[in-house]
Amino acid sequence: MTKLGATQVHSVGSFYRARYIEDGAPHKILDISPERYQPSQIWASAPDQSTATNFLQGLYPPLGALDHDLAVETVTDGSDTIPPFNGYQFIPIHGQPNEGPDTIWLKGDDGCPAYTRASNFYQLSVEYISTFNSSRKFYSQFAEPLNDVMPAENVTYAHAYDVFDLLNVGSIHNESFASVVTTPQLSQLRYYADALEWGRNYNLTQPARSVGGMALAGGILRQLNQTVSTKGNLKLSLLAGSYDTFLAFFGLTNLTAANADFMGLPGYASSMTFELFTDGNTTTFPHDTADLRVRFLFRNGTDVSMPLIVYPLFNRAKDSISYDDFVDELGSRAINSVGEWCSTCQSSGGFCSQDEYASLSGDSSSSVNYDDSSSGLTAVHAGVIGAMTTLGVLAIIAVAVFFCRRTSASSSSSEKRSSVSETDSGTSA
């Protein structure tokens, strides 16, 4: 991750701190510690730990930066001691083994044969073939500038995201690149990248293209349930994901009906949040789930002027939905167990060959167990919640520099790349 990327991810953490955690926050989470990190209240996971670390340091800065007295410890001889790094708060991040079953909740499309076949099917469509042919001349002008990092034959619509990402990041960090590509050309490159990645990751007639979004949906439900089942003891969860999973989720939840821009790539370090809240003021977590509501919010990029906007899910008119209805709606679109993922992906290798998962294939009632001792799931980590009375938060961020992914050795086309953490000042095309 570059210094700029780290700074921007840190700013995202600071943004959510101001909204949900600090004293006086407009949507402060019920009973959350405003200054000192409490292990039972926060859960974080990311394949790229530098991403989560930068976010969490924005969320809970060094104690000395918040209040000098909080960072000072007075010992028996009367002298004061300040911990290293001005009271730096060490927040654990739960990583996942690249080949472990828990990775499906973060990157459910990786290592999924059914996804690879369905995604590649887009390249047989009239839309793809027409765009590929009509864009050849446009892409040819970038073959020479990218010669050191990409073969000329790959500088085509077939690799639209890679071409856009390389030129966009290069224009930010490399002065010579800035003279190679103009702003209108970057917009066109972004348009092509949007179209290609949307085509690969969502199609109503081929659900397997959205396996990543289905698995994420299952993970979201589990993590929100962890907050509900602990009566709000777990207050905020963080998950770092990638752009393709975002797109699949956008399609599955009908967000394109609310705004067509959801068919486009999210900006670097964009975030989507799920707020769990009550309609009225309360000082205790509700006993009945009928009193809980959920709303979805999205922030496209990291620019200080970029707001966190509420959008209705599932093509509904209202901005929020009852928790019970949310569970029903999202559950009908979700992959709810590792066994179900193996069945959906038509995968029998790796962890899917293990008896405990093979025996569960197709059984959507079989779910990954909660790890109550760690206030999180053994397989899911992400969430944002808030409102009139904010009870918990699940935040999912599209960040990380080429973060760890499970890939198929036999097919490079199955490899998925996550966004490089830099600023993208534009919105989705």
Side-chain angles (χ1 to χ4, degrees):
M1 180 179 293
T2 66
K3 293 178 181 178
L4 176 60
T7 298
Q8 290 163 343
V9 175
H10 182 275
S11 76
V12 178
S14 298
F15 175 87
Y16 283 111
R17 173 177 175 77
R19 179 178 176 87
Y20 295 121
I21 293 178
E22 65 187 16
D23 285 330
H27 297 271
K28 186 175 181 182
I29 299 171
L30 182 68
D31 294 331
I32 195 168
S33 173
E35 294 160 334
R36 194 182 298 275
Y37 156 70
Q38 299 295 330
S40 64
Q41 297 183 353
I42 308 296
W43 171 267
S45 181
D48 175 73
Q49 298 213 356
S50 64
T51 293
T53 297
N54 283 299
F55 176 92
L56 292 169
Q57 284 308 302
L59 199 69
Y60 277 98
L63 287 171
L66 299 174
D67 185 336
H68 177 76
D69 292 341
L70 288 174
V72 174
E73 178 184 359
T74 302
V75 295
T76 54
D77 65 2
S79 62
D80 291 338
T81 300
I82 298 179
F85 310 114
N86 200 26
Y88 182 95
Q89 303 200 62
F90 294 89
I91 303 176
I93 300 165
H94 302 270
Q96 303 298 340
N98 291 346
E99 303 298 327
D102 288 355
T103 58
I104 71 164
W105 309 111
L106 303 178
K107 286 292 294 156
D109 51 356
D110 279 0
C112 177
Y115 165 79
T116 300
R117 289 191 295 270
S119 180
N120 289 344
F121 193 79
Y122 169 65
Q123 294 177 245
L124 302 176
S125 68
V126 172
E127 175 190 346
Y128 173 87
I129 294 170
S130 175
T131 305
F132 181 90
N133 290 329
S134 64
S135 63
R136 275 183 176 274
K137 184 176 180 181
F138 173 75
Y139 276 105
S140 65
Q141 64 191 307
F142 304 112
E144 184 177 348
L146 293 174
N147 185 54
D148 290 340
V149 291
M150 178 178 283
E153 60 268 24
N154 286 352
V155 186
T156 66
Y157 178 62
H159 300 274
Y161 178 79
D162 295 329
V163 175
F164 164 71
D165 199 43
L166 286 167
L167 289 169
N168 188 42
V169 174
S171 69
I172 295 171
H173 292 281
N174 190 320
E175 205 169 306
S176 62
F177 264 75
S179 63
V180 166
V181 59
T182 66
T183 300
Q185 286 172 332
L186 274 176
S187 295
Q188 186 66 27
L189 289 164
R190 172 65 178 267
Y191 172 81
Y192 285 134
D194 286 347
L196 179 69
E197 295 306 320
W198 177 258
R200 284 177 169 171
N201 290 285
Y202 183 76
N203 186 286
L204 187 60
T205 63
Q206 276 196 312
R209 294 193 201 181
S210 301
V211 163
M214 295 176 191
L216 177 63
I220 290 168
L221 289 172
R222 284 168 169 71
Q223 199 64 4
L224 287 176
N225 182 67
Q226 182 71 0
T227 293
V228 173
S229 65
T230 63
K231 299 298 182 184
N233 186 47
L234 176 62
K235 301 183 181 300
L236 187 148
S237 301
L238 167 69
L239 171 67
S242 61
Y243 71 86
D244 48 320
T245 303
F246 270 48
L247 290 175
F249 185 84
F250 294 161
L252 285 172
T253 53
N254 308 108
L255 281 163
T256 53
N259 191 322
D261 283 352
F262 280 110
M263 295 176 70
L265 291 162
Y268 299 136
S270 292
S271 54
M272 57 181 177
T273 66
F274 296 84
E275 295 184 343
L276 183 66
F277 65 96
T278 59
D279 276 331
N281 291 325
T282 183
T283 58
T284 59
F285 198 93
H287 294 290
D288 191 341
T289 58
D291 295 327
L292 299 174
R293 299 192 66 80
V294 177
R295 65 178 178 178
F296 170 89
L297 304 92
F298 181 67
R299 186 174 187 237
N300 195 11
T302 63
D303 191 273
V304 292
S305 63
M306 189 62 65
L308 186 63
I309 301 175
V310 180
Y311 292 98
L313 294 166
F314 316 122
N315 200 21
R316 296 195 175 205
K318 294 184 178 180
D319 289 343
S320 67
I321 182 173
S322 73
Y323 175 75
D324 292 334
D325 283 350
F326 176 81
V327 170
D328 289 341
E329 286 275 15
L330 195 58
S332 69
R333 297 161 168 82
I335 286 175
N336 297 297
S337 72
V338 175
E340 186 180 356
W341 181 90
C342 293
S343 177
T344 301
C345 288
Q346 299 170 24
S347 176
S348 58
F351 57 78
C352 288
S353 64
Q354 300 174 24
D355 290 343
E356 63 180 306
Y357 301 120
S359 64
L360 299 178
S361 291
D363 179 7
S364 61
S365 67
S366 300
S367 62
V368 176
N369 292 328
Y370 290 105
D371 179 3
D372 292 328
S373 64
S374 63
S375 299
L377 302 179
T378 61
V380 132
H381 331 284
V384 182
I385 312 170
M388 303 257 326
T389 295
T390 305
L391 304 171
V393 173
L394 176 82
I396 307 173
I397 305 176
V399 292
V401 183
F402 307 118
F403 72 61
C404 302
R405 56 194 186 276
R406 189 174 61 257
T407 59
S408 169
S410 61
S411 175
S412 60
S413 63
S414 70
E415 294 185 5
K416 303 302 292 182
R417 296 168 179 81
S418 63
S419 300
V420 178
S421 299
E422 302 300 347
T423 296
D424 180 358
S425 58
T427 58
S428 299

